[in-house]
Amino acid sequence: MTEFPDTTTTSDPSHDAPGEHGDDAAGYYTPGEPIADTKAPGGPIDDRWSTRKFEARLVNPANRRKLSVIIVGTGLAGASAAATLGEAGYVVKSFCYQDSPRRAHSIAAQGGINAAKNYKEDGDSVHRLFYDTVKGGDYRSRESNVYRLAEVSVNIIDQCVAQGVPFAREYGGLLDNRSFGGVQVSRTFYARGQTGQQLLLGAYQALERQVAAGTVTTYTRHEMLEVIVVDGKARGIIARDMVTGEIETHLADVVVLASGGYGNVFYLSTNAMGCNVTASWRAHRKGAYMANPCYTQIHPTCIPVSGSHQSKLTLMSESLRNDGRIWVPKNQADCTKDPRDIPEEDRDYYLERIYPSFGNLVPRDIASRAAKNVCDEGRGVGPEVEGVRRGVYLDFSAAIARLGKEGIEEKYDNLFDMYERITGENPYEVPMRIYPAVHYVMGGLWVDYDLQSSIPGLFVTGEANFSDHGANRLGASALMQGLADGYFVLPHTIRDYLADGPFEKVADDHPAVVEAQQSVRSRIDHFLNNNGTRSVDSYHRELGNIMWEYCGMERTEDGLKKAIDLIRTLKDDFWRNVKVLGTNESLNQSLEKAGRVADFFELGELMCIDALNRRESCGGHFRAESQTEDGEALRHDETFAYVAAWEFAGDPESNGMGTPVLHKEDLVYTAIEMKQRSYK
């Protein structure tokens, strides 16, 4: 095990080191035993995945037909896993709450997918993708997992091309690449601004092939409301048919959660309105550790909030930063002017000024904080919302002059069209206005190298787990992780668990099954019979305001403690006073939302406790008390170089969260040296 010296830069003396204040979160949690990833092999990092694949036990084809798998979620991670495991011969049940698997939120991804193909011959490699990802995550990810991700990335593109995914190509017919934030090479494959849609259609076709073959059964418009744990192992789920209201029990030998992230805890985000944490949180309440929940990603290029009426924000792809230049006026007096009337010398291209090496392609966390800073200085643009202008310009005039309007249309036409439909402004003529918004979460259920959670038999893939991105995800890496997990990682690791089968069947009247059914029904009955006075949406919006204000782009000890108090008070009122109309025996979106928001309350509280405990700044987690003299994030590796894995300590049958237990998994780097990030 190699130890590296602490290379953290010295902070301003006014910014206290964590030891000087003790533990900010003392009294909010209980210290637990340390944990470790026991499945990750040792040895040279480039041999570890090959070693693990060889060591994982096999299941012969005849036995696979006797083994059943439940997969919750049909995005890139879920659909690819279901297709691959179905083709391998396992009996697979696939669940989604959408009316079709192809409507999973992966379809909304725009910009691209990373892979270390080095088609541009610009110095890229598996090791460089590994290094960029660890650095981009501010050295808070597992190096073994990240190297595996970089290693299998090269296979993903070949798989998708074989499926017919229409990646952009150069004039000569070769696959094209572009750059994304946090890197200095071009490794992002793309299909205009519709990459997620095209990749999901490829995975969906593979899934439907297995449906036709009879190895996969899909359950659309079904929402998982509970996980069934028998003798300490995950053996099934309770799901509600969202059309009829029927509460269904589905049993299997293993359960896979590929249910996405929890950004909607903030209410306003770029996530689809239905995105939620319920599948993950129900597993957390049954014993699955939740890791690094405070690590949330604020995306720098989103259409700004236009008023309090909004319930959804819109992403504008990071790929736009390849050709668009971000600026604000140098003078506050110019903020209300038509941007075309502001001369070049009066514009502040602040990212190019502060970070000359990376310019407009700095990582997302850095670009987002920089935008917030210039707006806090009073130099934001666009209409005032609650007395503040929250917007910066993304200007394509130089790119149009260089490439012509046709060249920009070829790259970004659907994105430009979408922007004009939403704002009524033509970005070919007037600079876009953008501002950061919640987009992704790096936190999620804790998993080992095999992607198995702390509940044996419960595996977690894609954004639902925590494993690959540390404290900040680089652009175009979410699609990479989802497909890597589903096509190339889980099928190898899950077989080691299934090799112990065939397993003893679980009866429908088993006490654990009955308990899970009763828990779901009593929760539904409470919401329908509560007869309060406030709508679910009003509670969700208020919770989101608390989270954004105190656990958003900048966090402080006082603010986080205030947020915890506010959340607890609001949660108590929610359980007493929420009103849910309608019945269970029909489509009832108010009922669906009530269950999701109830889980968001508990998640939000844990996020604040996690952020309070981590008195350092790293990636998307920025503590105002921990920053360098020039306002950059300041890590404290000697104190916080660990994964925070939280154990639920409340009564699973009550509405209380109890005092969570913190288990720490030390992060050890042997292949690269931990350094203070710099993109200047």
Side-chain angles (χ1 to χ4, degrees):
M1 184 182 299
T2 305
E3 295 185 0
F4 295 107
D6 176 38
T7 57
T8 303
T9 57
T10 303
S11 68
D12 186 311
S14 64
H15 297 141
D16 302 316
E20 297 175 10
H21 270 244
D23 185 351
D24 290 350
Y28 289 92
Y29 74 97
T30 302
E33 294 296 316
I35 59 173
D37 177 11
T38 59
K39 298 291 181 61
I45 195 166
D46 52 352
D47 292 338
R48 293 176 189 174
W49 178 227
S50 297
T51 299
R52 182 60 189 137
K53 285 191 291 184
F54 179 76
E55 291 177 347
R57 294 170 296 167
L58 302 176
V59 180
N60 80 60
N63 282 344
R64 294 175 201 165
R65 294 190 292 271
K66 305 172 186 176
L67 297 169
S68 55
V69 182
I70 285 174
I71 300 178
V72 180
T74 58
L76 290 181
S80 58
T84 307
L85 294 175
E87 187 163 8
Y90 299 102
V91 179
V92 179
K93 289 183 177 181
S94 171
F95 292 81
C96 66
Y97 64 76
Q98 296 89 351
D99 56 6
S100 167
R102 67 178 179 271
R103 297 200 64 176
H105 188 54
S106 296
I107 203 169
Q110 298 171 356
I113 178 171
N114 289 330
K117 286 286 198 180
N118 195 30
Y119 283 171
K120 293 290 189 180
E121 294 289 343
D122 55 0
D124 200 12
S125 65
V126 167
H127 193 85
R128 188 174 295 279
L129 174 53
F130 157 65
Y131 173 78
D132 287 344
T133 304
V134 172
K135 178 184 176 183
D138 219 349
Y139 300 91
R140 289 294 178 261
S141 55
R142 284 199 197 122
E143 67 171 9
S144 293
N145 292 63
V146 177
Y147 194 92
R148 176 177 64 188
L149 177 63
E151 187 178 348
V152 303
S153 71
V154 297
N155 300 325
I156 297 171
I157 303 305
D158 297 338
Q159 169 92 358
C160 294
V161 169
Q163 291 174 337
V165 173
F167 286 123
R169 294 179 180 267
E170 295 178 333
Y171 180 77
L174 299 177
L175 295 179
D176 196 14
N177 292 124
R178 58 189 177 197
S179 297
F180 261 58
V183 303
Q184 292 177 307
V185 297
S186 295
R187 65 163 68 102
T188 304
F189 295 78
Y190 64 99
R192 286 196 170 179
Q194 307 168 351
T195 313
Q197 180 185 45
Q198 299 304 324
L199 292 174
L200 185 60
L201 288 174
Y204 170 71
Q205 290 169 177
L207 172 64
E208 288 300 304
R209 179 172 176 267
Q210 296 309 310
V211 171
T215 62
V216 178
T217 303
T218 56
Y219 294 83
T220 59
R221 304 295 288 160
H222 279 68
E223 183 169 22
M224 172 188 157
L225 297 180
E226 191 59 272
V227 62
I228 298 170
V229 178
V230 178
D231 298 328
K233 298 179 180 180
R235 293 301 305 269
I237 65 171
I238 305 296
R240 178 177 179 269
D241 184 320
M242 297 163 67
V243 177
T244 68
E246 183 179 356
I247 306 302
E248 302 176 2
T249 300
H250 296 270
L251 300 169
D253 298 314
V254 68
V255 176
V256 179
L257 297 186
S259 48
Y262 48 80
N264 274 351
V265 68
F266 290 88
Y267 187 71
L268 285 178
S269 81
T270 66
N271 291 178
M273 294 290 289
C275 291
N276 63 84
V277 75
T278 291
S280 292
W281 197 256
R282 295 291 102 191
H284 175 59
R285 279 178 147 259
K286 284 293 183 73
Y289 294 168
M290 179 66 75
N292 301 332
C294 77
Y295 288 167
T296 53
Q297 180 164 89
I298 314 295
H299 198 294
T301 51
C302 303
I303 296 178
V305 174
S306 59
S308 59
H309 62 281
Q310 280 183 274
S311 57
K312 173 83 174 68
L313 296 177
T314 304
L315 170 73
M316 298 305 296
S317 170
E318 179 168 325
S319 63
L320 295 169
R321 290 198 274 151
N322 273 273
D323 292 302
R325 300 180 70 194
I326 296 174
W327 64 275
V328 292
K330 290 181 178 179
N331 305 308
Q332 291 185 20
D334 291 338
C335 291
T336 57
K337 291 183 179 179
D338 186 317
R340 294 167 292 186
D341 295 335
I342 300 175
E344 192 74 13
E345 61 270 19
D346 291 336
R347 301 179 178 188
D348 180 12
Y349 295 91
Y350 57 90
L351 291 179
E352 298 173 25
R353 171 174 56 83
I354 302 172
Y355 307 100
S357 293
F358 285 75
N360 294 297
L361 286 175
V362 293
R364 292 175 175 177
D365 58 316
I366 291 175
S368 293
R369 281 196 296 273
K372 178 182 183 298
N373 290 341
V374 295
C375 291
D376 287 347
E377 293 170 4
R379 295 192 287 145
V381 299
E384 289 188 356
V385 177
E386 297 179 354
V388 182
R389 301 183 193 278
R390 295 291 184 190
V392 299
Y393 289 125
L394 181 61
D395 194 337
F396 288 86
S397 57
I400 292 172
R402 184 178 73 253
L403 302 173
K405 183 179 178 182
E406 295 76 13
I408 296 298
E409 285 178 338
E410 185 176 346
K411 290 183 175 183
Y412 310 118
D413 62 340
N414 67 306
L415 299 174
F416 276 48
D417 289 347
M418 179 173 67
Y419 180 87
E420 184 171 9
R421 287 194 204 104
I422 293 172
T423 66
E425 299 171 0
N426 185 346
Y428 293 104
E429 299 174 359
V430 182
M432 287 184 179
R433 287 180 295 106
I434 58 169
Y435 193 70
V438 174
H439 175 61
Y440 187 88
V441 294
M442 288 70 67
L445 292 179
W446 183 92
V447 293
D448 61 19
Y449 193 67
D450 283 0
L451 303 183
Q452 185 172 211
S453 73
S454 50
I455 300 177
L458 180 69
F459 290 76
V460 190
T461 63
E463 190 180 355
N465 74 35
F466 87 100
S467 66
D468 291 354
H469 304 295
N472 176 64
R473 178 177 66 77
L474 292 182
S477 288
L479 306 186
M480 175 175 62
Q481 185 208 350
L483 292 180
D485 286 355
Y487 282 137
F488 299 109
V489 178
L490 183 71
H492 288 290
T493 61
I494 200 171
R495 70 170 189 246
D496 187 65
Y497 180 84
L498 291 171
D500 289 328
F503 299 89
E504 182 180 349
K505 297 299 180 185
V506 176
D508 288 342
D509 60 353
H510 188 284
V513 177
V514 174
E515 177 274 325
Q517 293 171 339
Q518 291 175 343
S519 174
V520 168
R521 289 195 170 96
S522 65
R523 188 170 155 102
I524 290 173
D525 289 344
H526 171 83
F527 289 133
L528 292 174
N529 298 324
N530 195 48
N531 200 29
T533 60
R534 283 189 63 178
S535 69
V536 177
D537 282 343
S538 72
Y539 281 106
H540 192 183
R541 184 185 293 274
E542 188 171 347
L543 172 64
N545 289 339
I546 294 169
M547 295 299 296
W548 179 252
E549 182 68 25
Y550 301 110
C551 198
M553 274 194 282
E554 182 173 301
R555 300 149 180 194
T556 65
E557 178 184 353
D558 291 343
L560 290 165
K561 289 179 176 178
K562 181 177 181 180
I564 293 169
D565 290 340
L566 290 172
I567 291 170
R568 289 174 175 175
T569 301
L570 188 63
K571 180 178 69 173
D572 289 344
D573 187 70
F574 169 84
W575 283 102
R576 291 194 309 268
N577 201 32
V578 69
K579 186 175 185 65
V580 176
L581 299 174
T583 67
N584 177 58
E585 289 72 30
S586 63
L587 179 66
N588 190 336
Q589 291 185 319
S590 181
L591 177 60
E592 296 162 18
K593 291 177 183 178
R596 297 168 187 172
V597 172
D599 292 332
F600 278 143
F601 273 116
E602 295 185 357
L603 168 69
E605 182 178 339
L606 184 62
M607 288 171 66
C608 292
I609 293 172
D610 187 39
L612 187 60
N613 170 255
R614 191 173 287 276
R615 192 184 175 90
E616 69 164 351
S617 294
C618 55
H621 168 64
F622 190 81
R623 284 289 297 267
E625 301 93 339
S626 183
Q627 54 184 300
T628 63
E629 292 181 358
D630 53 357
E632 300 291 347
L634 177 62
R635 295 196 325 266
H636 297 290
D637 296 336
E638 69 285 355
T639 307
F640 295 109
Y642 62 78
V643 175
W646 295 91
E647 178 184 1
F648 184 79
D651 178 1
E653 300 309 307
S654 76
N655 300 325
M657 216 178 79
T659 303
V661 178
L662 172 60
H663 302 274
K664 298 180 181 179
E665 177 198 337
D666 288 337
L667 292 170
V668 179
Y669 291 94
T670 62
I672 56 176
E673 182 180 357
M674 296 177 74
K675 298 178 180 179
Q676 192 72 22
R677 283 193 313 174
S678 175
Y679 290 93
K680 295 185 176 181

